[in-house]
Amino acid sequence: MIKFPKPIQELIDQFCKLPGIGPKTAERLVFYLLKQSMEELNDFASALTQINNSVIKCSICHNISEKDPCSICSDKNRDHHIICIVAEPHDLAAIENTGEYKGVYHVLGGVLDPLSGQTPDRLRFNDLLTKLQKNKISEIMLAFNPDMEGEATMMYLNNLLKPFKIKITRLARGMPVGADLEYTDEITLSSAIKNRKEM
Ligand SMILES: [Zn+2]
């Protein structure tokens, strides 16, 4: 096997750590970058540095943001009595992109998956409970992928939140089983939000 100069091999190794990128693709990406102008490479490098330096987490909803609280949490025109609970920031982005939802969010930080070590203490349940004790919330909307881990997390949340006597809804079952919120088209997701069902 050919041995690349060290800086090149290092960059290939970094690309390999990204989801869905194997060694061959990593190589192709690095060689593509090598053909770019100095200016384009600098832009790429500075975009990478910026996500490290200027992207923070909102202390209220835990979404990625440039400021704290984020633009959603600080928006007075949104309905702060409805909280949509999602697993990850990209799920929040998928819901936002539909333009259908006008409430606020709580990013849990993942889904329950005890076999992979993802136990309740690793997710932001406590923070959610504090939020419910402090604020008047009229509805909790659960927006998780309709797969095994997503279902288990929604069941857990439903039991956890029962004592609060708040209306708990979940996305309508229009989404195919095993589908990913992130890749569901906006029309399907929009109607799943509109037709959400009480649990
Ligand atoms: Zn926020």
Side-chain angles (χ1 to χ4, degrees):
M1 222 163 80
I2 182 164
K3 220 167 149 31
F4 297 116
K6 201 164 169 254
I8 293 184
Q9 188 56 52
E10 267 174 19
L11 190 54
I12 292 175
D13 293 345
Q14 290 303 326
F15 271 114
C16 275
K17 292 180 187 168
L18 301 176
I21 308 277
K24 279 270 160 283
T25 309
E27 261 179 56
R28 216 176 319 138
L29 291 171
V30 171
F31 282 106
Y32 173 81
L33 286 173
L34 283 171
K35 283 195 289 187
Q36 306 308 302
S37 69
M38 188 58 104
E39 200 191 341
E40 276 169 305
L41 280 183
N42 277 333
D43 287 349
F44 188 76
S46 101
L48 272 182
T49 314
Q50 274 181 37
I51 60 166
N52 191 20
N53 293 342
S54 33
V55 176
I56 52 170
K57 274 201 182 106
C58 170
S59 59
I60 301 175
C61 69
H62 306 288
N63 189 26
I64 43 171
S65 173
E66 274 182 82
K67 52 180 190 161
D68 184 22
C70 71
S71 55
I72 296 175
C73 289
S74 52
D75 186 346
K76 292 199 169 57
N77 293 320
R78 298 191 73 121
D79 187 347
H80 290 254
H81 299 102
I82 306 181
I83 300 180
C84 171
I85 306 182
V86 292
E88 303 281 0
H90 59 242
D91 299 319
L92 186 157
I95 304 271
E96 266 314 273
N97 285 340
T98 65
E100 185 62 42
Y101 177 69
K102 297 287 178 248
V104 292
Y105 294 90
H106 180 84
V107 181
L108 209 52
V111 284
L112 285 179
D113 188 7
L115 291 180
S116 332
Q118 192 78 294
T119 45
D121 55 298
R122 309 199 63 156
L123 302 175
R124 299 189 190 101
F125 289 116
N126 286 336
D127 189 51
L128 175 67
L129 295 178
T130 314
K131 218 182 262 183
L132 297 183
Q133 280 152 1
K134 282 191 187 157
N135 303 287
K136 245 187 138 44
I137 304 300
S138 59
E139 181 186 342
I140 301 263
M141 177 176 122
L142 307 180
F144 289 86
N145 295 336
D147 54 19
M148 229 164 73
E149 293 79 19
E151 292 293 340
T153 310
M154 287 192 276
M155 289 296 283
Y156 184 88
L157 277 164
N158 194 31
N159 285 327
L160 187 72
L161 304 179
K162 231 175 223 158
F164 289 91
K165 304 209 183 317
I166 300 171
K167 179 173 160 191
I168 303 172
T169 56
R170 58 172 290 163
L171 297 181
R173 291 174 191 271
M175 297 204 336
V177 173
D180 214 315
L181 281 191
E182 198 185 349
Y183 303 117
T184 305
D185 67 276
E186 283 165 27
I187 296 167
T188 308
L189 192 50
S190 222
S191 94
I193 298 170
K194 222 181 293 174
N195 301 312
R196 59 187 184 267
K197 298 268 176 303
E198 205 160 331
M199 280 186 81

